Amino acid sequence: MDFIHALILGIVQGITEFLPISSSAHLILTPVFSGWEDQGVAFDLAVHIGTLLAVVIYFRRDVSVLLVDAWRSVVERQHVGHSRLAWAVVIGTIPTGLAGLLLLDLIDTTLRSVQVIFVTTIFFGVLLGLADVFGKKQRSIDSITWKDAVLVGLAQSIALIPGTSRSGSTITAGLMLGLDRQAASRFSFLLAIPITALAASVKILEVATEQLPVDWTAFLIGGVTSFITAILAIHYFLKWLNQFGMWPYVIYRMILAAVIYFMLLS
């Protein structure tokens, strides 16, 4: 993998991981459109580590508070501070973890197709737009219950299908449950931490057990680039959220679907 190849894929992953437009779809489509070979598991590991570090560092204060309050709630056997939110993140991660274990082979083979991405890009883009229009947007992040966490977690598990978008599906579910845009987005980003860590762990095991070759130059370029662009994507997404809402991403998804259809499917 040359420098430009690694740089572009790192930028693509960093930008799309936390925007509701599906990073998995873009990582699949970029080699298809450009004529490159698939980047492989080792490179996917690098960019996942980059985006994981980005979200942890950006929300470092939130993460610190949630970890402390969760531990205190265990010791004191009652909810303390933001421990409800901390356990909501744990509960919301469980459905995706189970789905990933059960459906990993299906996700990496049958569902990894341009046709699937075309359908999911349109369908879940429309759902995101409807949720943004009709969601009540009245609840704060502190109002999230374990039932909300389960439902958002189930939505996150659907995002294992390429083209769905993890952030898109979780934000859509949050908006449908009445969370405001900031609350739905912040909860989505917090949910990204454990599930991205799990995904990176799976890829580490795959690289180690199958003794896959690692291009360390591409690994570093992809990891650093995805880290930088992911921090910028999170920052500006939250900054512009109330001003523009979800419709720029809905429109982008429709344009992407049209490009996929006319360039790859027609």
Side-chain angles (χ1 to χ4, degrees):
M1 183 182 296
D2 60 30
F3 175 83
I4 297 299
H5 188 170
L7 183 69
I8 290 174
L9 285 173
I11 292 171
V12 167
Q13 168 69 12
I15 292 174
T16 59
E17 176 66 24
F18 299 110
L19 300 185
I21 55 177
S22 181
S23 61
S24 60
H26 284 76
L27 285 179
I28 293 169
L29 292 172
T30 300
V32 172
F33 282 127
S34 61
W36 296 334
E37 292 184 7
D38 187 272
Q39 56 270 14
V41 173
F43 187 82
D44 283 352
L45 169 61
V47 294
H48 274 83
I49 291 174
T51 53
L52 174 61
L53 290 175
V55 70
V56 169
I57 289 174
Y58 193 88
F59 291 103
R60 59 192 179 279
R61 293 185 181 86
D62 302 65
V63 171
S64 177
V65 169
L66 293 179
L67 288 174
V68 170
D69 287 351
W71 174 249
R72 288 177 59 201
S73 74
V74 172
V75 173
E76 299 180 21
R77 297 184 180 181
Q78 62 181 348
H79 285 295
V80 178
H82 295 281
S83 63
R84 289 183 187 273
L85 178 58
W87 291 113
V89 171
V90 174
I91 292 169
T93 302
I94 293 171
T96 313
L98 293 175
L101 290 173
L102 295 173
L103 304 174
L104 185 61
D105 290 339
L106 179 65
I107 293 163
D108 285 343
T109 54
T110 306
L111 297 180
R112 193 180 173 89
S113 72
V114 173
Q115 290 83 356
V116 169
I117 292 172
F118 172 71
V119 173
T120 53
T121 296
I122 294 175
F123 181 74
F124 289 99
V126 171
L127 278 186
L128 177 63
L130 292 174
D132 195 41
V133 171
F134 295 107
K136 293 182 179 179
K137 298 187 281 292
Q138 295 175 341
R139 299 173 55 198
S140 70
I141 196 168
D142 293 326
S143 72
I144 291 174
T145 66
W146 69 267
K147 292 181 181 179
D148 296 325
V150 170
L151 292 172
V152 176
L154 289 171
Q156 181 172 244
S157 66
I158 296 172
L160 292 170
I161 304 171
T164 302
S165 171
R166 191 209 60 80
S167 62
S169 63
T170 51
I171 291 171
T172 297
L175 292 171
M176 287 180 173
L177 291 168
L179 296 176
D180 63 38
R181 289 171 179 155
Q182 288 287 338
S185 300
R186 292 182 79 85
F187 188 52
S188 171
F189 292 147
L190 291 173
L191 279 173
I193 296 173
I195 204 63
T196 306
L198 287 172
S201 299
V202 169
K203 292 182 185 298
I204 288 172
L205 287 174
E206 189 172 349
V207 170
T209 56
E210 297 183 15
Q211 297 182 336
L212 299 174
V214 178
D215 182 340
W216 289 106
T217 301
F219 190 99
L220 289 172
I221 294 169
V224 171
T225 306
S226 65
F227 168 76
I228 294 170
T229 51
I231 283 191
L232 292 173
I234 295 170
H235 177 74
Y236 285 105
F237 177 80
L238 292 173
K239 181 178 179 180
W240 294 334
L241 189 56
N242 287 328
Q243 183 176 357
F244 298 109
M246 298 298 164
W247 278 94
Y249 310 105
V250 175
I251 293 169
Y252 174 83
R253 291 177 73 115
M254 298 305 108
I255 294 173
L256 177 61
V259 171
I260 292 171
Y261 179 79
F262 288 110
M263 294 190 66
L264 301 176
L265 298 178
S266 63

